[in-house]
Amino acid sequence: MHERPIGRGLDSFRAYWKYKYLTLLFLPAAIYYVVFHYVPIYGVLIAFKNYKFSLGILGSPWVGLDHFRDLFASGGIWPVFRNTVIISFYKLVFGFPAPIAFAILLNEIRLAVFKKAVQTISYFPHFLSWVVLGGLAMQFLSPSIGPVNIVLQAFGLQPIYFLADAGWFRSVLVATDIWKELGWGTIVYLAAITGVNPELHEAATVDGANRYHRIRFITLPAMAPVITIMLIFAIGRLINDDFDQVFNLYNPAVMEVGDVLSTYTYRMGLVNMEYSFATAVGLFKNVIAFALVLTANAAAKKFSEYGLW
C-alpha cells in the first residue's frame, strides 16, 4: 500500500538530482520568496497584539480582534478604501487593455529596426523609480513651464493644475501608470503572439482574410489564455495600490481623492507609530485581495477553460 508513494518520492528525488544544475538555478528565487515573503508572515501576529517595540512580538500582550473593531468603527478607513478601489478600477479598465493593444500593434510592424527601437523606448520607464518619474511628471504637467500647459495656452485655454486639482489627479495616476508599465506589460503578450503558427496567417491570407480578420480570429484567440491569467491577477490587485506612485505625486490639495490604503497604512504605522493598527489594515487588504483572486479564478473557469488552477 505504501510502496507507490515512496517510489514516487524516489523518482522525484532522482529527477531533481538528474537536473541538479537547473534546480540550483531555481534556488535563488525560492530563497528570495522564503526570506522576503514567507518568513515575514510571522509579523501578522502584530495585528492581534498591542505591540510594544521594547517587548517584541511575542512579549506584547494579546488584544484579539480589537484593532479590527477599531478599523471598521473608524470613519477614516472608508474614504481611503473607496479611493483605492476607484483608482485601481480605472487602472484596470484603461491600463489592462493598453499592453494588449500595444503588443498587437508591435507585432504588425514589419521593419525590424523600428520595432526594436519602439520596444526599447517603451520598456525604459519601467526601470525608472517613481521618484524620477514623479519628478518628470511634475515638470511636464507644471502650470507654468510644463509642455502640456504650454500647448493648452497656445490654443487659448487656461493652464490646468493637474497635480493639485482633485478633478484631474486620478486621471494623472492612471495615465502615468500606463506610461510606466505599457512597454513592460507587452512582453508576455508578445511571447504569446510569437507562439502562433505562421502557417495559420498564411492560410488565412490565401482565403482572403485581411489584417483585421487575422488579428480577430487568429492572434486574439492565441492570446486568450495569457489574457485570462493576467486579468485574474489584475482583479486581485484591485484592492492594492502603488504606494511609490501615489506618495511621490499626491499632496494635501488632492488628499480627498488621492489618499489610498498604502499611504494611510504608512501614516498610521510609521508616522503615528500605531504598528498594530497598521498591520490590521494591511491584513484586511490582503484578505480582500485573496478573495478577489479566488472569485476571479472561479469566474474564469466557469466561463472559459482557462484559470490559475
Side-chain angles (χ1 to χ4, degrees), residues 39-53 56-57 60 62-72 77 240 261-288:
V39 173
I41 292 177
Y42 165 72
V44 170
L45 291 175
I46 297 175
F48 305 96
K49 292 193 168 197
N50 185 17
Y51 177 70
K52 303 294 183 182
F53 186 79
I57 296 178
S60 300
W62 289 93
V63 294
L65 299 177
D66 286 358
H67 297 300
F68 293 94
R69 295 189 187 97
D70 295 340
L71 170 64
F72 296 126
I77 186 66
N240 290 324
L261 282 170
S262 62
T263 53
Y264 179 75
T265 305
Y266 164 77
R267 288 198 309 276
M268 300 304 293
L270 296 181
V271 178
N272 297 342
M273 298 174 57
E274 297 182 22
Y275 303 114
S276 296
F277 185 82
T279 305
V281 176
L283 184 58
F284 165 70
K285 181 176 70 171
N286 291 334
V287 169
I288 294 180

Side-chain angles (χ1 to χ4, degrees), residues 72-221:
F72 296 126
S74 66
I77 186 66
W78 300 116
V80 174
F81 181 82
R82 184 179 64 251
N83 290 338
T84 302
V85 173
I86 291 174
I87 292 171
S88 298
F89 179 75
Y90 287 162
K91 288 182 179 181
L92 177 66
V93 172
F94 297 103
F96 182 76
I100 299 174
F102 191 56
I104 293 173
L105 293 174
L106 280 177
N107 186 62
E108 295 300 317
I109 297 176
R110 295 292 172 257
L111 187 60
V113 176
F114 180 70
K115 181 178 180 179
K116 290 181 179 179
V118 172
Q119 284 181 287
T120 302
I121 294 171
S122 64
Y123 293 166
F124 183 68
H126 172 80
F127 298 98
L128 298 178
S129 70
W130 273 114
V131 175
V132 176
L133 292 180
L136 290 174
M138 290 178 187
Q139 292 298 315
F140 271 95
L141 300 176
S142 170
S144 56
I145 62 173
V148 176
N149 276 302
I150 289 176
V151 172
L152 290 178
Q153 293 178 72
F155 283 95
L157 301 174
Q158 293 296 319
I160 300 174
Y161 293 75
F162 289 99
L163 294 175
D165 189 333
W168 281 98
F169 185 71
R170 288 172 178 168
S171 299
V172 171
L173 290 180
V174 175
T176 52
D177 182 73
I178 294 174
W179 169 42
K180 187 176 190 296
E181 301 298 339
L182 176 65
W184 186 255
T186 61
I187 293 178
V188 65
Y189 298 114
L190 281 173
I193 295 173
T194 304
V196 177
N197 190 342
E199 294 180 358
L200 294 175
H201 287 280
E202 295 172 3
T205 303
V206 171
D207 289 339
N210 57 29
R211 182 170 295 184
Y212 167 76
H213 290 137
R214 296 199 304 273
I215 292 174
R216 179 180 177 185
F217 296 107
I218 298 176
T219 304
L220 283 176

Side-chain angles (χ1 to χ4, degrees), residues 226-272:
V226 176
I227 292 175
T228 303
I229 299 301
M230 299 303 290
L231 180 60
I232 293 173
F233 287 138
I235 292 175
R237 290 193 298 269
L238 271 177
I239 197 63
N240 290 324
D241 49 75
D242 195 330
F243 171 79
D244 292 338
Q245 179 195 25
V246 179
F247 187 76
N248 282 284
L249 292 177
Y250 83 152
N251 56 77
V254 294
M255 287 284 285
E256 183 181 355
V257 298
D259 195 19
V260 292
L261 282 170
S262 62
T263 53
Y264 179 75
T265 305
Y266 164 77
R267 288 198 309 276
M268 300 304 293
L270 296 181
V271 178
N272 297 342

